[in-house]
């Protein structure tokens, strides 16, 4: 009989002595044992073993500046967040059938950051779960099935969210657009259908009525409009002024509800505002959250109005085994504390403005930079040859920056946009180092 105090598992390994394998061996085992559709970053993959603040460290102790991790929102392994999770895990972790202070305290603190009437919280385990649950809320409230989405959007990996994500259903292996989905053009003022147009927000918003009319021709009423408050997979696009106001008015006139997907961009990343939808001067009917909410801990949330929440009360209970557990809520509370106490929203505004200004200076020096855009610490740099997207250049820049120990990635329909969304503790000194190294790379290319 196995001694329960023995740290060795039934298979002979110890829980605290995981074998340290070479990169090649890990890659071989991944191919053999893991999801075969799962890719790795970079031509020569990195093995990361430690994180701190804006830095990731490989097995050799080499530090890499993380410019793409909007999950570890307040910095990798923030001590305050780690301590909160450890302390609660050592005391209790269980489901929400029992009363506990953490979940109600978190609901109070979270809703205090949002405008009225967004005041009812549903907790989940991820952004995908949040967007999936939000769809159920929209269906229940409107008794309709149609959904309008923005082209190249990504809202999650569940079956229902793949149907709402042109990034997936129109991409490799995708099954195409379903009849109950309407797609409107990305409100891209650089390369979109209304480029360099002062009234672009209103013009892009006016595309929604025709999309909803197409659904009605198929006898499908509109339940919801899903839109990221800043477009991520679309290429780090900032919505033009007035876009959401125009779009929301059209959707509500048709009986639908308006959802702001803040999974990537919430919790102060936009700098000027805590929630990126506030940059548009609107109040959505539903807000979804994920990624930064737990600083890497798997957690998500939906916040909606009492009216929509009441429509969900049908006799069928919504219970989620892990969502809202005391550990998750303790961690999420610590994240809110750190954002406030370290003034990270203001840091995002100040450092983001400096970074965008520096990138625009590089844009004046190098013809290959077609556009620089962003809010706070959510920034895109579009690489072009004239007016033609240059994904090869973008990929080469990413690899060259990795060689200089800076981690970047690419995004956008043509995969030519450098995406910049570092942890919120990213400093001006970090920005100066990044700009200097990017200048070196662009000068040498």
């Amino acid at each position: 009989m196995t001694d329960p105090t023995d740290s060795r598992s039934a298979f002979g390994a110890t829980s605290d002595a995981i074998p340290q394998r070479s990169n090649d061996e890990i890659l071989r085992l991944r191919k053999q044992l893991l999801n075969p559709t799962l890719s790795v970053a970079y031509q020569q993959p990195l093995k990361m073993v430690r994180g701190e603040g804006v830095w990731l460290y490989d097995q050799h102790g080499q530090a890499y500046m993380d410019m793409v991790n909007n999950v570890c929102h307040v910095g990798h392994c923030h001590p305050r967040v780690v301590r909160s999770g450890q302390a609660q895990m050592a005391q209790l972790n269980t489901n929400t059938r029992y009363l506990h202070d953490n979940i109600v305290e978190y609901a109070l603190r979270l809703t205090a950051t949002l405008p009225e009437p967004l005041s009812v919280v549903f907790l989940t385990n991820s952004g995908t779960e949040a967007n999936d649950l939000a769809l159920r809320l929209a269906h229940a409230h409107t008794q309709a099935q149609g959904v309008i989405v923005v082209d190249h959007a990504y809202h999650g990996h569940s079956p229902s969210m793949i149907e709402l994500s042109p990034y997936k259903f129109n991409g490799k292996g995708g099954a195409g657009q379903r009849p109950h989905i309407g797609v409107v053009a990305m409100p891209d003022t650089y390369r979109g259908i209304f480029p360099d147009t002062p009234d672009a927000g209103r013009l892009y918003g006016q595309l929604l009525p025709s999309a909803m009319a197409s659904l009605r021709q198929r006898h499908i009423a509109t339940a919801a409009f899903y839109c990221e408050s800043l477009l991520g997979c679309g290429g780090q696009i900032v919505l033009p002024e007035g876009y959401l106001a125009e779009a929301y008015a059209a959707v509500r006139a048709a009986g639908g509800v308006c959802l702001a997907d803040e999974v990537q961009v919430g919790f102060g990343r936009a700098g000027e505002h805590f929630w990126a939808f506030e940059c548009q001067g609107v109040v959505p009917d539903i807000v979804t959250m994920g990624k930064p909410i737990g600083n890497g801990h798997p957690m998500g949330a939906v916040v909606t109005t009492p009216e929509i929440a009441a429509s969900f009360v049908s006799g069928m209970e919504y219970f989620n085994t892990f969502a809202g557990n005391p550990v998750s809520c303790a961690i999420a509370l610590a994240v809110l504390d750190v954002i406030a106490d370290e003034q990270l929203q203001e840091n995002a505004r100040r450092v983001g403005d400096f970074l965008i200004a520096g990138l625009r200076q590089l844009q004046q020096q190098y013809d290959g930079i077609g556009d620089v855009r962003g809010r706070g610490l959510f920034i895109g740099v579009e690489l072009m040859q004239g007016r033609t997207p240059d994904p090869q250049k973008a990929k080469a820049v990413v690899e060259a920056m990795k060689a200089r120990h800076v981690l970047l990635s690419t995004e956008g329909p043509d995969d030519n946009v450098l995406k910049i969304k570092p942890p919120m503790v990213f400093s001006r000194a970090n920005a100066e180092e990044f700009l200097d190294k990017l200048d070196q790379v662009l000068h040498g290319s």
Side-chain angles (χ1 to χ4, degrees):
M1 185 173 180
T2 303
D3 181 353
T5 64
D6 191 339
S7 64
R8 292 173 296 179
S9 75
F11 299 98
T14 61
S15 59
D16 56 357
I18 296 173
Q20 298 303 293
R21 299 177 172 90
S22 69
N23 290 13
D24 288 343
E25 179 68 2
I26 292 173
L27 281 169
R28 184 187 68 78
L29 289 170
R30 281 173 64 106
K31 291 177 181 178
Q32 176 184 333
L33 300 170
L34 300 185
N35 161 21
T37 70
L38 180 63
S39 64
V40 293
Y42 308 109
Q43 293 174 356
Q44 293 296 320
L46 292 167
K47 178 182 179 180
M48 294 304 185
V49 299
R50 186 169 71 87
E52 182 179 356
V54 301
W55 302 99
L56 288 171
Y57 296 84
D58 69 12
Q59 73 271 37
H60 307 297
Q62 292 289 335
Y64 290 81
M65 183 186 294
D66 188 353
M67 298 286 291
V68 290
N69 202 318
N70 63 335
V71 179
C72 291
H73 190 64
V74 300
H76 291 280
C77 303
H78 193 289
R80 192 167 172 183
V81 177
V82 171
R83 283 196 303 269
S84 294
Q86 288 173 330
Q88 184 57 58
M89 190 176 294
Q91 187 175 65
L92 173 72
N93 199 26
T94 186
N95 64 54
T96 51
R97 300 285 192 196
Y98 302 102
L99 302 184
H100 199 275
D101 291 304
N102 286 9
I103 189 170
V104 293
E105 180 65 17
Y106 187 67
L108 284 167
R109 292 275 306 280
L110 182 63
T111 54
T113 69
L114 290 156
E116 291 288 348
L118 294 166
S119 58
V120 182
V121 178
F122 297 76
L123 293 176
T124 67
N125 301 301
S126 69
T128 292
E129 261 195 17
N131 277 328
D132 189 85
L133 176 59
L135 184 62
R136 291 179 59 192
L137 291 169
H139 288 329
H141 186 66
T142 64
Q143 296 297 300
Q145 295 299 311
V147 182
I148 305 298
V149 297
V150 176
D151 200 11
H152 214 71
Y154 174 65
H155 295 291
H157 58 76
S158 68
S160 71
M161 290 301 103
I162 294 296
E163 292 182 354
L164 267 60
S165 300
Y167 175 73
K168 290 293 187 181
F169 68 63
N170 282 333
K172 294 179 180 179
Q177 185 174 335
R178 297 293 301 274
H180 65 289
I181 304 301
V183 179
V184 292
M186 284 195 301
D188 179 356
T189 58
Y190 177 63
R191 289 201 294 126
I193 58 177
F194 301 118
D196 305 316
T197 306
D199 204 18
R202 182 180 61 83
L203 294 172
Y204 277 112
Q206 289 177 347
L207 299 176
L208 273 84
S210 62
M212 292 186 289
S214 294
L215 291 180
R216 283 196 300 273
Q217 289 176 355
R218 298 193 290 273
H219 307 288
I220 299 170
T222 297
F225 169 51
Y226 271 58
C227 186
E228 297 166 277
S229 303
L230 296 165
L231 307 188
C233 290
Q236 311 294 102
I237 288 174
V238 177
L239 303 179
E241 184 178 353
Y243 175 67
L244 287 185
E246 186 77 24
Y248 281 15
V251 171
R252 286 165 174 161
V257 299
C258 301
L259 180 141
D261 183 333
E262 295 265 338
V263 169
Q264 288 208 60
V265 297
F267 295 92
R269 180 165 290 278
E272 186 180 352
H273 296 283
F274 198 78
W275 301 106
F277 67 77
E278 295 175 296
C279 301
Q280 290 272 309
V282 297
V283 179
D285 303 300
I286 305 172
V287 182
T288 56
M289 308 162 192
K291 294 185 188 294
I293 193 171
N295 209 51
H297 182 81
M299 187 174 178
V302 180
V303 184
T304 190
T305 67
E307 182 183 9
I308 292 174
S311 298
F312 197 56
V313 180
S314 65
M316 178 188 292
E317 182 182 18
Y318 170 72
F319 171 70
N320 187 317
T321 302
F322 298 110
N325 69 76
V327 171
S328 294
C329 291
I331 289 170
L333 283 164
V335 170
L336 291 179
D337 287 339
V338 171
I339 293 170
D341 294 348
E342 297 186 11
Q343 299 181 312
L344 294 185
Q345 181 183 334
E346 171 59 17
N347 185 69
R349 184 198 65 78
R350 186 176 63 252
V351 177
D353 286 351
F354 174 80
L355 192 51
I356 289 170
L359 288 165
R360 286 179 175 157
Q361 287 181 354
L362 293 178
Q363 183 182 18
Q364 298 304 310
Q365 295 174 231
Y366 300 105
D367 292 338
I369 298 180
D371 191 36
V372 174
R373 51 186 178 252
R375 282 192 180 274
L377 288 174
F378 189 86
I379 299 168
V381 178
E382 188 140 9
L383 299 184
M384 306 285 287
Q385 283 188 338
R387 298 294 288 185
T388 302
D390 195 346
Q392 289 76 26
K393 178 67 168 289
K395 183 177 180 181
V397 168
V398 167
E399 291 291 340
M401 290 296 283
K402 178 215 172 193
R404 289 166 172 79
H405 292 184
V406 176
L407 304 180
L408 289 170
S409 187
T410 58
E411 203 57 275
D414 297 294
D415 210 28
N416 68 311
V417 180
L418 301 179
K419 59 179 177 182
I420 299 170
K421 44 191 182 72
M424 294 276 282
V425 292
F426 193 76
S427 69
R428 178 168 173 147
N430 297 145
E432 289 171 347
E433 180 179 345
F434 164 72
L435 290 168
D436 181 60
K437 289 182 175 179
L438 183 60
D439 188 10
Q440 294 172 28
V441 167
L442 293 172
H443 182 75
S445 62

